[in-house]
């Protein structure tokens, strides 16, 4: 059994009983019964027929309080195969949602090639960016210019020490803003305020996206959408392999799947396209009533995910009857029949602006010229299609100008 140090023993004495109980609850331990001096908690692994582990959690501070907490830490160190000091440090962290990225690189367990880690961390950052963007507005392709809320979320993601099992990158996002009140921190108190199912009955797949209740912190919304998006990507890839069709990718957009998320999953695998898995732990103060099993991304999924991302981007670039609002920045082509309009498309996020090449009808040229000279805003309806690295509009149905 791992023995804690004298310094860790002193730190253990400062842990409040509710902090210990919160940690145990989040790791799957169960409070079996109350005793005169505390609560008896049990843990057993799924499918393990051996006797469960037990710890006695003191409910009040007495002379032997530090020793009882030290016993708990030493038992947890055996169960989790980690140092007691690492577990103690995690207990003191703010309540957070966790994501564990398990890589399977060559070489000794606990090590990984530098290039693999660069790809994995870059992909993990992009994964959170895609999930946060979809939490605000699900889209098949997320805009390059991200809202400040998305940037703030990505900046809040913290990396923890690696875990046992080849090479595991542990990331966590605190649920509460720094300095926010935590009450007594019990799961019962949080459940009364925040209880939220991982899945909503009306969703086509786990995650919810825009259906998340307003009482839920944005960090938890992102965690839910992240799990849902990764799960949907895996499901869409399996379906594509079975049917030789990429149609499934489009069905899961409302649940958090996007071209950006698929590309992030591919990026995590690196140049060697190594398999990996993602697992999720939820802050015990906001317990989840639905299971969230790990998602394994195998090498055979990666090619399909890349093709799925391309399919989503191609579909986003094709839009019949799209409405474009903006200002004319350039006229070109024979007879000024091509206008470059800088603005936004109605079917995309309002914050996304781009330059769109528009092929004008003969009757639109004079109106476009007047708008260009006087800086008037225009509204154009037509069909979008890919054009170079962007899009262009053809088949214009309407061209309207309005005064600034």
């Amino acid at each position: 059994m791992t023995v804690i140090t004298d310094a860790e023993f002193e730190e253990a004495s400062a842990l409040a009983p509710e902090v210990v109980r919160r940690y145990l609850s989040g790791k799957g331990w169960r409070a079996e019964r109350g005793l005169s001096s505390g609560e008896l908690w049990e843990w057993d692994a799924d499918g393990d027929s051996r006797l469960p582990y037990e710890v006695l959690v003191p409910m009040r501070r007495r002379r032997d309080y530090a020793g009882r907490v030290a016993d708990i830490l030493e038992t947890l160190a055996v169960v989790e195969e980690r140092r007691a000091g690492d577990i103690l440090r995690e207990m003191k962290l703010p309540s957070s949602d966790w994501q564990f990225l398990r890589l399977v690189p060559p070489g000794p367990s606990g090590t990984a090639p530098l290039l693999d880690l660069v790809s994995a961390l870059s992909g993990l950052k992009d994964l959170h960016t895609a999930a946060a963007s979809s939490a605000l507005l699900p889209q098949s392709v997320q805009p390059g210019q991200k809202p400040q809320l998305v940037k703030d979320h990505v900046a809040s993601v913290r990396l923890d020490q690696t875990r046992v099992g080849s090479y595991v990158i542990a990331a966590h996002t605190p649920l509460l803003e720094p300095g926010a009140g935590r009450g007594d921190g019990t799961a019962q108190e949080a459940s009364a305020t925040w209880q939220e199912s991982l899945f909503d009955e009306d969703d086509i797949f786990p995650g919810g996206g825009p259906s998340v209740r307003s009482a839920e912190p944005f960090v938890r919304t992102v965690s839910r959408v992240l799990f849902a998006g990764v799960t949907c990507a895996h499901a869409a890839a399996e379906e594509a392999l079975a049917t030789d069709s990429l149609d499934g990718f489009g069905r899961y957009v409302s649940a958090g799947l996007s071209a950006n998320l698929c590309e992030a999953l591919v990026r995590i695998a690196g140049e060697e396209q190594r398999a990996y898995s993602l697992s999720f732990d939820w802050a015990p103060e906001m317990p989840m009533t639905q299971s969230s099993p790990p998602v394994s991304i195998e090498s055979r999924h990666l090619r399909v995910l890349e093709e799925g991302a391309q399919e989503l981007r191609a579909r986003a670039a094709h839009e019949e009857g799209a409405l474009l609002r903006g200002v004319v920045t350039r006229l070109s082509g024979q007879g000024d029949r091509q206008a470059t309009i800088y603005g936004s498309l109605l079917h995309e996020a309002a914050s996304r602006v781009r330059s769109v090449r528009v092929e004008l009808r003969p009757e639109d040229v004079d109106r476009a010229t007047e708008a260009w000279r006087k800086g008037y805003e225009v509204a154009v309806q037509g069909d979008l299609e890919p054009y170079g690295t962007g899009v262009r509009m053809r088949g214009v149905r309407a061209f309207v100008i309005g005064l600034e």
Side-chain angles (χ1 to χ4, degrees):
M1 178 175 288
T2 304
V3 178
I4 70 172
T5 66
D6 291 342
E8 292 165 351
F9 187 89
E10 291 298 324
E11 289 184 57
S13 66
L15 284 178
E18 58 267 21
V19 172
V20 178
R21 295 186 349 247
R22 182 170 57 238
Y23 182 87
L24 293 173
S25 175
K27 295 298 181 180
W29 289 70
R30 302 182 306 276
E32 292 298 320
R33 59 186 180 275
L35 303 174
S36 59
S37 58
E39 286 181 343
L40 186 66
W41 287 65
E42 290 187 357
W43 182 88
D44 52 6
D46 294 337
D48 193 336
S49 60
R50 291 175 294 180
L51 293 174
Y53 286 92
E54 293 182 341
V55 294
L56 180 63
V57 181
M59 303 305 294
R60 294 181 299 275
R61 294 180 181 277
R62 295 182 176 178
R63 285 190 177 183
D64 64 345
Y65 179 80
R68 301 289 71 77
V69 176
D71 290 342
I72 294 171
L73 289 170
E74 290 174 348
T75 301
L76 289 172
V78 173
V79 172
E80 299 182 22
E81 300 182 34
R82 289 201 289 158
R83 290 182 58 253
D86 294 339
I87 297 172
L88 175 63
R89 182 186 52 79
E90 186 173 324
M91 283 185 177
K92 296 162 64 178
L93 291 174
S95 185
S96 304
D97 285 339
W98 290 76
Q99 300 86 41
F100 299 98
L101 173 58
R102 186 180 300 274
L103 307 177
V104 192
S109 178
T111 68
L114 175 61
L115 292 180
D116 283 18
L117 289 182
V118 170
S119 298
L121 292 176
S122 176
L124 187 60
K125 171 181 173 291
D126 292 346
L127 202 61
H128 270 275
T129 302
S133 299
S134 290
L136 289 177
L137 179 63
Q139 295 183 92
S140 57
V141 179
Q142 292 295 343
Q145 184 63 36
K146 300 298 186 292
Q148 189 60 44
L149 187 58
V150 172
K151 296 178 182 178
D152 290 343
H153 169 80
V154 175
S156 74
V157 179
R158 312 292 297 179
L159 294 183
D160 201 69
Q161 296 178 353
T162 57
R163 300 292 193 266
V164 173
S166 194
Y167 198 95
V168 180
I169 299 173
H172 69 275
T173 46
L175 287 187
L176 300 180
E177 295 295 330
R182 294 175 62 109
D184 66 4
T186 63
Q188 291 82 0
E189 177 198 48
S191 295
T193 306
W194 284 333
Q195 179 64 31
E196 176 70 38
S197 170
L198 182 60
F199 306 151
D200 288 318
E201 293 181 358
D202 295 335
D203 294 338
I204 62 172
F205 212 79
S211 66
V212 173
R213 298 188 184 100
S214 59
E216 183 177 70
F218 183 65
V219 168
R220 168 52 62 85
T221 305
V222 175
S223 297
R224 285 164 34 98
V225 174
L226 177 56
F227 169 71
V230 172
T231 304
C232 289
H234 180 273
E238 285 285 348
E239 181 179 324
L241 289 168
T243 64
D244 197 26
S245 170
L246 298 173
D247 291 342
F249 283 86
R251 289 202 305 273
Y252 297 130
V253 169
S254 63
L257 182 62
S258 66
N260 310 69
L261 185 136
C262 291
E263 290 160 354
L265 291 173
V266 173
R267 189 169 295 114
I268 288 174
E271 294 183 1
E272 300 299 325
Q273 301 286 277
R274 305 191 201 279
Y276 61 89
S277 67
L278 276 160
S279 57
F280 302 80
D281 273 355
W282 311 93
E285 284 143 322
M286 295 184 65
M288 286 299 185
T289 59
Q290 303 290 336
S291 63
S292 49
V295 181
S296 296
I297 303 297
E298 302 173 15
S299 298
R300 63 193 182 94
H301 296 136
L302 296 170
R303 175 185 58 81
V304 182
L305 288 172
E306 192 168 14
E307 292 175 354
Q310 294 171 356
E311 174 71 8
L312 289 173
R313 289 190 177 277
R315 290 186 181 184
H318 286 278
E319 181 78 14
E320 293 186 2
L323 182 63
L324 170 66
R325 294 181 182 275
V327 294
V328 180
T329 60
R330 183 184 178 189
L331 293 172
S332 59
Q334 186 174 3
D336 287 338
R337 287 284 301 277
Q338 292 186 350
T340 300
I341 298 177
Y342 183 74
S344 60
L345 292 159
L346 186 62
H347 68 283
E348 295 183 339
S351 60
R352 183 178 189 181
V353 292
R354 57 161 79 193
S355 292
V356 179
R357 182 75 61 86
V358 178
E359 293 190 0
L360 302 172
R361 301 171 298 181
E363 61 267 32
D364 299 327
V365 174
D366 288 343
R367 285 191 289 266
T369 302
E370 181 184 7
W372 173 61
R373 289 174 176 171
K374 299 183 178 179
Y376 293 158
E377 185 182 59
V378 301
V380 189
Q381 185 178 36
D383 301 330
L384 289 179
E385 63 180 31
Y387 183 73
T389 58
V391 294
R392 68 179 173 184
M393 179 176 285
R394 308 178 76 178
V396 171
R397 298 162 172 70
F399 190 105
V400 179
I401 64 174
L403 299 179
E404 281 277 297

